[in-house]
Amino acid sequence: MRLGANPLRSANAASEFERVVLCVGTHLPHLADYHAGRLEVVQTCLTSMRQGAHVNHTFVVWDNGSCPELCNWLANEFRPDMLMLSPNIG
């Protein structure tokens, strides 16, 4: 058993956390067949992450060549702090 006390117990804790960067990669090639309903899943996931982040944060989304519907939603409705749209690089 350890004897002694934590040397930091009397230190003042910071009142706020440092800025956090939330980085998410997305890829939704189309909305047919296997990917049907995935647009709503991505929207729910990203919205939930933004609402659940109770710390000072920057939200970055990198889209890897998704369908126009997702790209339009990201750019016009979701509007992350940084949006990187690129062709699918694999």
Side-chain angles (χ1 to χ4, degrees):
M1 184 169 168
R2 181 178 154 263
L3 298 175
N6 183 347
L8 298 176
R9 73 178 179 186
S10 62
N12 292 334
S15 60
E16 288 190 27
F17 291 102
E18 293 293 324
R19 188 168 202 69
V20 174
V21 179
L22 303 172
C23 298
V24 178
T26 60
H27 175 67
L28 184 61
H30 52 79
L31 300 176
D33 304 325
Y34 179 77
H35 298 288
R38 297 288 172 102
L39 179 60
E40 291 80 15
V41 171
V42 172
Q43 290 172 336
T44 301
C45 176
L46 294 178
T47 302
S48 175
M49 285 180 68
R50 175 178 273 169
Q51 291 172 349
H54 300 295
V55 295
N56 190 11
H57 70 280
T58 299
F59 207 112
V60 178
V61 176
W62 172 54
D63 184 78
N64 188 19
S66 291
C67 61
E69 293 86 355
L70 179 57
C71 292
N72 289 336
W73 179 80
L74 288 169
N76 300 319
E77 293 181 42
F78 186 69
R79 293 189 301 265
D81 298 314
M82 182 183 295
L83 175 61
M84 297 176 283
L85 300 173
S86 70
N88 186 355
I89 61 172

